[in-house]
Structures are given as structure tokens and as C-alpha cells.
């Protein structure tokens, strides 16, 4: 399984790196999480430089993708070279999630047609202008597309992906690891309250 986190120039560290940390709680030889960038290095909104772990082209073939957020997302969606590559994203064969202004990328790709989205308050007007309904909640998913609003909602995207690819127990274990001491049960309960309504119904056991 390959999970790619799209990370652009001016990226928000909380959006890309919290998801990276939670997703990497899965310790399996066939589980790989990468930072996918359009260039060999990108610099965050606060000056943190990270190196490319995978390309945008590789992300389009991944099992799951998170479109990260940042201060230059409007420039990203106006970049024909980047958007041409990202048109290779396909919810018919991969999980696609967007964090905060990443929802604008999905909107411009036409992946949110008839699907409401969650995003941050700064990005909300741009997503609405792109013709997408914005919800006042931290997480929403329909089929293989999910969005989250607010930097610390990135945990929900990571848990949703783990639950879809590895099962709810694996997602709960990952959340338990990162949750604050003394608040783990409360933390996990809140996460499931937001995620569970958007997970596929369990398949009934054969009798």
C-alpha cells in the first residue's frame, strides 16, 4: 500500500506532517507513506524544507492520496503543469482526501461535483466560489473522497485512510498512540464520532 501526501511550496507543516506521523504508526512491510512534491525540495509557510519522497506522477498511482494545504494553493490550481498531472487522480481506484485548502484542488479537478466539502475558514470562500458547498464540520467523506477542515483535523483523514485500508482496529491503535496521555479514550471517541458515519457498513458474516 502506498499513501502519498501531496505537499507543495508554502505547505502547512501541521497538515502534511501530522498525517505522515499518524499514517506511519502502521508497521508493515507493504505499507509506505511518502511526501509527494512537484520539485526535489519544498519549503513550508514557516521555512521548513523537506525533500521529495515521491513524485506527483507516482502519487496518481498510489492506493491513497492526501492533498495537503498551504499558503500557495491558489497558485497551485493555476499551474497548468501541476494540474495536468493531478488529473490522473481517480477516486474509482484510489482513496482521495484533501486537507483544508486541498479541497480547492479537488474542486478545480472536478472531483467534488455534487459532494460537499470541509475546509478551513480562510479557504472557504474560494471553495464556495468554485461551486462547492462547504460544511461547518471537521470531516466529511463520500465513497472514496474525504475532506477535512482545520489543521488538527488531519488526524481524521489519516484515521479514515487507515480504517479503509487496514481496518478500524488499526486506525484506533494509531490514534491511541498519538493521543495525549490522560485523554486517550476521549480523544478516540471524538475521532470515531466524526469518522464512523462515513465508513462503509460492515459486511455481514456468512452463516
Amino acid at each position: 500500500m502506498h499513501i502519498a501526501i501531496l505537499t507543495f511550496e508554502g505547505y502547512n507543516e501541521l497538515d502534511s506532517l501530522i498525517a505522515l506521523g499518524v499514517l506511519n504508526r502502521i508497521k508493515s512491510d507493504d505499507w509506505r507513506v511518502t511526501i509527494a512534491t512537484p520539485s526535489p525540495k519544498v519549503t513550508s509557510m514557516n521555512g521548513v524544507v523537506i525533500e521529495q519522497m515521491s513524485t506527483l506522477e507516482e502519487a496518481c498511482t498510489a492506493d491513497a492520496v492526501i492533498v495537503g494545504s498551504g499558503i500557495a494553493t491558489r497558485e497551485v490550481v493555476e499551474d497548468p503543469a501541476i494540474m495536468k498531472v493531478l488529473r490522473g487522480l481517480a477516486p474509482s481506484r484510489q482513496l482521495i482526501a484533501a486537507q483544508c485548502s486541498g479541497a480547492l484542488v479537488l474542486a478545480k479537478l472536478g472531483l467534488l461535483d455534487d459532494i460537499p466539502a470541509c475546509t478551513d475558514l480562510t479557504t472557504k470562500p474560494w471553495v464556495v466560489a468554485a461551486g462547492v458547498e462547504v460544511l461547518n464540520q471537521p470531516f466529511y467523506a463520500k465513497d472514496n473522497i474525504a475532506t477535512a477542515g482545520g489543521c488538527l483535523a488531519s488526524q481524521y483523514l489519516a484515521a479514515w485512510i487507515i480504517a479503509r485500508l487496514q481496518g478500524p482496529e488499526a486506525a484506533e491503535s494509531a490514534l491511541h498512540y498519538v493521543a495525549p496521555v490522560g485523554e486517550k479514550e476521549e480523544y478516540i471517541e471524538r475521532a470515531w464520532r466524526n469518522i464512523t458515519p462515513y465508513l462503509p457498513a460492515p459486511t455481514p458474516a456468512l452463516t
Side-chain angles (χ1 to χ4, degrees):
M1 292 289 179
H2 176 205
I3 300 90
I5 303 171
L6 304 190
T7 304
F8 303 102
E9 192 69 22
Y11 73 93
N12 185 320
E13 304 94 337
L14 295 176
D15 293 347
S16 289
L17 301 183
I18 288 178
L20 179 77
V22 175
L23 287 164
N24 270 316
R25 298 325 309 163
I26 302 299
K27 303 301 181 184
S28 174
D29 291 340
D30 64 349
W31 185 265
R32 183 168 70 106
V33 185
T34 65
I35 297 292
T37 64
S39 56
K41 295 181 180 180
V42 290
T43 303
S44 78
M45 58 194 297
N46 294 306
V48 178
V49 179
I50 55 175
E51 296 185 356
Q52 182 182 69
M53 298 172 67
S54 64
T55 64
L56 299 185
E57 289 82 0
E58 288 174 304
C60 289
T61 66
D63 299 281
V65 176
I66 294 177
V67 183
S69 184
I71 59 173
T73 304
R74 285 188 291 178
E75 285 82 354
V76 169
V77 299
E78 294 297 329
D79 188 316
I82 290 177
M83 295 301 282
K84 180 179 179 180
V85 174
L86 296 186
R87 288 190 183 91
L89 295 174
S92 61
R93 57 177 171 77
Q94 57 189 169
L95 300 178
I96 299 178
Q99 175 68 40
C100 290
S101 64
L104 181 62
V105 176
L106 297 193
K108 294 294 187 178
L109 290 172
L111 296 178
L112 295 179
D113 291 348
D114 301 320
I115 300 176
C118 300
T119 190
D120 63 281
L121 299 180
T122 300
T123 306
K124 179 179 178 179
W126 311 333
V127 176
V128 170
V132 176
E133 176 189 0
V134 174
L135 303 173
N136 184 31
Q137 60 191 60
F139 177 84
Y140 179 84
K142 181 178 181 182
D143 300 326
N144 287 346
I145 294 180
T147 53
C151 300
L152 297 182
S154 55
Q155 59 183 314
Y156 298 149
L157 290 183
W160 176 77
I161 288 174
I162 295 172
R164 290 291 306 273
L165 298 180
Q166 294 286 319
E169 289 186 4
E172 183 166 330
S173 177
L175 288 173
H176 188 274
Y177 185 93
V178 302
V181 172
E183 298 179 358
K184 292 185 181 293
E185 289 72 19
E186 176 187 355
Y187 188 95
I188 292 170
E189 180 184 355
R190 182 174 65 249
W192 282 131
R193 191 165 62 243
N194 284 290
I195 299 168
T196 300
Y198 308 109
L199 291 175
T203 303
L206 297 177
T207 55

